[in-house]
Amino acid sequence: MEFIFLAVLLMVPVVYLILTVGQVQGGAYAVVGASDQAAKVFVLHSDLPQAQQAAEQAVHMAMEDMGFDPDNAQLTISCDGGCFTAGSTVRAYVELRVELPVVGAVPGVNATAATVDSTSTQKVGRFK
């Protein structure tokens, strides 16, 4: 009886730790993919509103594909020189607040396990 009690007492935190680390790792993969795709789609457009909207949509889709709430992600685009000038560099920075497993599903509770981020760079090509 004591063994079962101690086993459960020790295993629950270990399992929760594994779930949390997996959630953070998944968030890291999600921001890498989101920033890469956001930079790629941004340079494909020729005007700022369309480019920004396409980049935000790419981040939204990447977060949903990885099972994260897109509202927890934030996209920042910065450019060296003109954003649409051939040869200039566009940087997409995505930051994601990763919630704790199980606890994050409780309404009104804002428990963050970690914040992960990623930056991707894309050059604007001469030909579009």
Side-chain angles (χ1 to χ4, degrees):
M1 181 69 174
E2 293 85 16
F3 174 75
I4 293 172
F5 176 73
L6 285 175
V8 169
L9 188 66
L10 293 174
M11 292 301 288
V12 169
V14 170
V15 169
Y16 193 75
L17 176 67
I18 291 169
L19 288 173
T20 303
V21 169
Q23 189 84 345
V24 171
Q25 185 66 41
Y29 286 136
V31 294
V32 168
S35 66
D36 184 48
Q37 292 304 314
K40 286 179 181 177
V41 299
F42 189 89
V43 299
L44 291 177
H45 292 82
S46 55
D47 67 352
L48 189 58
Q50 282 184 342
Q52 186 71 29
Q53 182 181 7
E56 288 174 3
Q57 189 176 19
V59 170
H60 186 83
M61 288 174 55
M63 291 300 132
E64 282 186 340
D65 285 348
M66 293 296 287
F68 291 96
D69 184 8
D71 294 335
N72 291 342
Q74 182 179 3
L75 169 67
T76 305
I77 300 285
S78 62
C79 305
D80 293 343
C83 284
F84 304 106
T85 306
S88 65
T89 303
V90 173
R91 284 187 187 84
Y93 173 77
V94 177
E95 184 177 82
L96 174 67
R97 188 173 43 85
V98 179
E99 295 179 350
L100 285 171
V102 181
V103 177
V106 176
V109 176
N110 186 6
T112 302
T115 301
V116 292
D117 60 21
S118 178
T119 303
S120 293
T121 305
Q122 191 75 27
K123 279 207 175 257
V124 178
R126 287 190 293 167
F127 306 106
K128 288 188 183 185

